Amino acid sequence: MFFIFGLRTKVDRSGVVTRVCRNCGNQAAQVITRRSTRFTLFFVPLIPVRTRYTQQCTFCGAEYDIARAEAQRLPVG
């Protein structure tokens, strides 16, 4: 008997907000994404291992982590 297990990351785009980028300093659209990694058994996602929220600048492409509270507080449109 054998088991097929692993990790799967799902990326959900939460929305876009216009802010000043921390990296380049330009007022540009920032894409907010949620990345959730889950432990899978027989290709069925079971246990959440890690959840990250990121913000990516559409002008320079810089991407950095943001806190969950900040991601939920942003007025996404």
Side-chain angles (χ1 to χ4, degrees):
M1 184 172 184
F2 63 94
F3 294 99
I4 300 173
F5 63 92
L7 298 174
R8 177 177 292 168
T9 301
K10 181 179 178 186
V11 179
D12 293 322
R13 182 175 162 191
S14 299
V16 178
V17 64
T18 303
R19 298 182 78 186
V20 175
C21 178
R22 295 181 196 170
N23 186 46
C24 66
N26 290 317
Q27 179 89 10
Q30 308 287 321
V31 179
I32 309 298
T33 57
R34 176 180 177 238
R35 298 172 191 257
S36 58
T37 303
R38 292 180 174 256
F39 174 79
T40 61
L41 182 62
F42 294 108
F43 305 105
V44 177
L46 296 175
I47 303 168
V49 176
R50 180 179 182 189
T51 301
R52 291 177 36 202
Y53 293 90
T54 60
Q55 181 174 340
Q56 183 178 15
C57 178
T58 57
F59 187 80
C60 68
E63 182 176 28
Y64 39 88
D65 293 338
I66 58 175
R68 177 183 180 188
E70 184 179 356
Q72 292 175 344
R73 182 174 44 94
L74 290 174
V76 176

